[in-house]
mmCIF file of all heavy atoms in Angstrom:
data_model
loop_
_atom_site.group_PDB
_atom_site.id
_atom_site.type_symbol
_atom_site.label_atom_id
_atom_site.label_comp_id
_atom_site.label_asym_id
_atom_site.label_seq_id
_atom_site.Cartn_x
_atom_site.Cartn_y
_atom_site.Cartn_z
ATOM 1 N N TYR X 426 14.831 59.359 122.225
ATOM 2 C CA TYR X 426 13.552 59.030 121.583
ATOM 3 C C TYR X 426 12.466 58.670 122.598
ATOM 4 O O TYR X 426 11.295 58.951 122.373
ATOM 5 C CB TYR X 426 13.699 57.946 120.507
ATOM 6 C CG TYR X 426 14.253 56.604 120.919
ATOM 7 C CD1 TYR X 426 13.571 55.755 121.774
ATOM 8 C CD2 TYR X 426 15.461 56.150 120.373
ATOM 9 C CE1 TYR X 426 14.067 54.503 122.116
ATOM 10 C CE2 TYR X 426 15.972 54.899 120.710
ATOM 11 C CZ TYR X 426 15.271 54.088 121.575
ATOM 12 O OH TYR X 426 15.774 52.846 121.903
ATOM 13 N N VAL X 427 12.837 58.097 123.732
ATOM 14 C CA VAL X 427 11.818 57.751 124.727
ATOM 15 C C VAL X 427 11.296 58.999 125.433
ATOM 16 O O VAL X 427 10.084 59.221 125.534
ATOM 17 C CB VAL X 427 12.370 56.744 125.754
ATOM 18 C CG1 VAL X 427 11.424 56.622 126.948
ATOM 19 C CG2 VAL X 427 12.559 55.384 125.111
ATOM 20 N N LEU X 428 12.196 59.823 125.929
ATOM 21 C CA LEU X 428 11.776 61.002 126.680
ATOM 22 C C LEU X 428 11.053 62.009 125.790
ATOM 23 O O LEU X 428 10.099 62.662 126.239
ATOM 24 C CB LEU X 428 12.990 61.652 127.353
ATOM 25 C CG LEU X 428 13.674 60.788 128.421
ATOM 26 C CD1 LEU X 428 14.883 61.510 129.002
ATOM 27 C CD2 LEU X 428 12.700 60.419 129.530
ATOM 28 N N TRP X 429 11.478 62.119 124.548
ATOM 29 C CA TRP X 429 10.794 63.039 123.637
ATOM 30 C C TRP X 429 9.393 62.522 123.323
ATOM 31 O O TRP X 429 8.434 63.295 123.233
ATOM 32 C CB TRP X 429 11.614 63.213 122.356
ATOM 33 C CG TRP X 429 11.180 64.404 121.554
ATOM 34 C CD1 TRP X 429 10.613 65.560 122.027
ATOM 35 C CD2 TRP X 429 11.259 64.569 120.140
ATOM 36 N NE1 TRP X 429 10.345 66.433 121.006
ATOM 37 C CE2 TRP X 429 10.744 65.853 119.833
ATOM 38 C CE3 TRP X 429 11.749 63.782 119.109
ATOM 39 C CZ2 TRP X 429 10.679 66.332 118.525
ATOM 40 C CZ3 TRP X 429 11.691 64.267 117.811
ATOM 41 C CH2 TRP X 429 11.156 65.522 117.529
ATOM 42 N N MET X 430 9.262 61.215 123.177
ATOM 43 C CA MET X 430 7.946 60.634 122.944
ATOM 44 C C MET X 430 7.020 60.893 124.135
ATOM 45 O O MET X 430 5.860 61.300 123.960
ATOM 46 C CB MET X 430 8.079 59.123 122.702
ATOM 47 C CG MET X 430 6.765 58.385 122.493
ATOM 48 S SD MET X 430 6.039 57.714 124.015
ATOM 49 C CE MET X 430 7.202 56.410 124.409
ATOM 50 N N VAL X 431 7.520 60.678 125.346
ATOM 51 C CA VAL X 431 6.713 60.912 126.546
ATOM 52 C C VAL X 431 6.337 62.382 126.657
ATOM 53 O O VAL X 431 5.199 62.736 126.982
ATOM 54 C CB VAL X 431 7.478 60.450 127.805
ATOM 55 C CG1 VAL X 431 6.747 60.886 129.068
ATOM 56 C CG2 VAL X 431 7.653 58.935 127.792
ATOM 57 N N GLN X 432 7.304 63.244 126.374
ATOM 58 C CA GLN X 432 7.043 64.682 126.490
ATOM 59 C C GLN X 432 5.978 65.148 125.502
ATOM 60 O O GLN X 432 5.096 65.940 125.844
ATOM 61 C CB GLN X 432 8.345 65.454 126.253
ATOM 62 C CG GLN X 432 8.302 66.925 126.631
ATOM 63 C CD GLN X 432 7.735 67.800 125.518
ATOM 64 O OE1 GLN X 432 7.867 67.464 124.350
ATOM 65 N NE2 GLN X 432 7.108 68.910 125.892
ATOM 66 N N ARG X 433 5.999 64.607 124.296
ATOM 67 C CA ARG X 433 5.063 65.049 123.267
ATOM 68 C C ARG X 433 3.664 64.462 123.449
ATOM 69 O O ARG X 433 2.692 65.023 122.930
ATOM 70 C CB ARG X 433 5.588 64.687 121.872
ATOM 71 C CG ARG X 433 6.774 65.530 121.423
ATOM 72 C CD ARG X 433 7.180 65.175 120.005
ATOM 73 N NE ARG X 433 7.740 63.832 119.920
ATOM 74 C CZ ARG X 433 7.901 63.158 118.766
ATOM 75 N NH1 ARG X 433 7.520 63.711 117.624
ATOM 76 N NH2 ARG X 433 8.435 61.951 118.773
ATOM 77 N N THR X 434 3.550 63.341 124.152
ATOM 78 C CA THR X 434 2.239 62.705 124.299
ATOM 79 C C THR X 434 1.534 63.074 125.602
ATOM 80 O O THR X 434 0.346 63.402 125.608
ATOM 81 C CB THR X 434 2.374 61.173 124.226
ATOM 82 O OG1 THR X 434 3.353 60.741 125.172
ATOM 83 C CG2 THR X 434 2.761 60.726 122.833
ATOM 84 N N THR X 435 2.254 63.042 126.710
ATOM 85 C CA THR X 435 1.578 63.180 128.012
ATOM 86 C C THR X 435 1.957 64.445 128.772
ATOM 87 O O THR X 435 1.285 64.796 129.747
ATOM 88 C CB THR X 435 1.884 61.960 128.900
ATOM 89 O OG1 THR X 435 3.298 61.901 129.159
ATOM 90 C CG2 THR X 435 1.446 60.673 128.223
ATOM 91 N N GLN X 436 3.029 65.118 128.371
ATOM 92 C CA GLN X 436 3.476 66.306 129.103
ATOM 93 C C GLN X 436 3.177 67.579 128.313
ATOM 94 O O GLN X 436 2.659 67.541 127.215
ATOM 95 C CB GLN X 436 4.989 66.200 129.399
ATOM 96 C CG GLN X 436 5.388 64.920 130.112
ATOM 97 C CD GLN X 436 4.700 64.740 131.438
ATOM 98 O OE1 GLN X 436 4.658 65.656 132.247
ATOM 99 N NE2 GLN X 436 4.137 63.557 131.677
ATOM 100 N N GLY X 437 3.516 68.692 128.893
ATOM 101 C CA GLY X 437 3.352 69.967 128.205
ATOM 102 C C GLY X 437 1.925 70.484 128.226
ATOM 103 O O GLY X 437 1.085 70.054 129.030
ATOM 104 N N THR X 438 1.652 71.406 127.326
ATOM 105 C CA THR X 438 0.337 72.041 127.249
ATOM 106 C C THR X 438 -0.709 71.059 126.731
ATOM 107 O O THR X 438 -0.456 70.305 125.785
ATOM 108 C CB THR X 438 0.399 73.254 126.300
ATOM 109 O OG1 THR X 438 1.419 74.152 126.753
ATOM 110 C CG2 THR X 438 -0.938 73.979 126.276
ATOM 111 N N LEU X 439 -1.861 71.054 127.356
ATOM 112 C CA LEU X 439 -2.931 70.146 126.958
ATOM 113 C C LEU X 439 -3.462 70.506 125.576
ATOM 114 O O LEU X 439 -3.786 71.663 125.302
ATOM 115 C CB LEU X 439 -4.080 70.212 127.982
ATOM 116 C CG LEU X 439 -5.318 69.371 127.668
ATOM 117 C CD1 LEU X 439 -4.986 67.886 127.655
ATOM 118 C CD2 LEU X 439 -6.428 69.660 128.662
ATOM 119 N N ASN X 440 -3.519 69.509 124.712
ATOM 120 C CA ASN X 440 -4.107 69.685 123.383
ATOM 121 C C ASN X 440 -5.623 69.829 123.544
ATOM 122 O O ASN X 440 -6.290 68.915 124.038
ATOM 123 C CB ASN X 440 -3.774 68.470 122.520
ATOM 124 C CG ASN X 440 -4.308 68.594 121.098
ATOM 125 O OD1 ASN X 440 -5.053 69.516 120.777
ATOM 126 N ND2 ASN X 440 -3.919 67.661 120.240
ATOM 127 N N PRO X 441 -6.208 70.970 123.164
ATOM 128 C CA PRO X 441 -7.665 71.177 123.366
ATOM 129 C C PRO X 441 -8.521 70.095 122.727
ATOM 130 O O PRO X 441 -9.609 69.784 123.224
ATOM 131 C CB PRO X 441 -7.919 72.538 122.718
ATOM 132 C CG PRO X 441 -6.587 73.220 122.721
ATOM 133 C CD PRO X 441 -5.574 72.146 122.544
ATOM 134 N N ALA X 442 -8.017 69.491 121.645
ATOM 135 C CA ALA X 442 -8.804 68.461 120.956
ATOM 136 C C ALA X 442 -9.013 67.236 121.838
ATOM 137 O O ALA X 442 -10.012 66.512 121.674
ATOM 138 C CB ALA X 442 -8.124 68.063 119.647
ATOM 139 N N LEU X 443 -8.119 66.986 122.784
ATOM 140 C CA LEU X 443 -8.246 65.808 123.645
ATOM 141 C C LEU X 443 -9.456 65.911 124.560
ATOM 142 O O LEU X 443 -10.050 64.896 124.926
ATOM 143 C CB LEU X 443 -6.977 65.618 124.477
ATOM 144 C CG LEU X 443 -5.690 65.276 123.724
ATOM 145 C CD1 LEU X 443 -4.535 65.085 124.707
ATOM 146 C CD2 LEU X 443 -5.858 64.026 122.878
ATOM 147 N N THR X 444 -9.817 67.113 124.949
ATOM 148 C CA THR X 444 -10.950 67.283 125.869
ATOM 149 C C THR X 444 -12.272 66.930 125.208
ATOM 150 O O THR X 444 -13.273 66.708 125.888
ATOM 151 C CB THR X 444 -11.007 68.728 126.378
ATOM 152 O OG1 THR X 444 -11.159 69.624 125.262
ATOM 153 C CG2 THR X 444 -9.731 69.091 127.130
ATOM 154 N N GLU X 445 -12.272 66.895 123.882
ATOM 155 C CA GLU X 445 -13.491 66.567 123.148
ATOM 156 C C GLU X 445 -13.615 65.076 122.858
ATOM 157 O O GLU X 445 -14.613 64.628 122.299
ATOM 158 C CB GLU X 445 -13.526 67.354 121.829
ATOM 159 C CG GLU X 445 -13.471 68.862 122.034
ATOM 160 C CD GLU X 445 -13.351 69.614 120.727
ATOM 161 O OE1 GLU X 445 -13.411 68.939 119.664
ATOM 162 O OE2 GLU X 445 -13.197 70.845 120.748
#
Side-chain angles (χ1 to χ4, degrees):
Y426 59 66
V427 168
L428 296 179
W429 196 29
M430 178 268 291
V431 171
Q432 193 275 331
R433 288 184 292 165
T434 53
T435 62
Q436 306 301 312
T438 304
L439 177 64
N440 182 352
L443 294 182
T444 60
E445 301 174 5

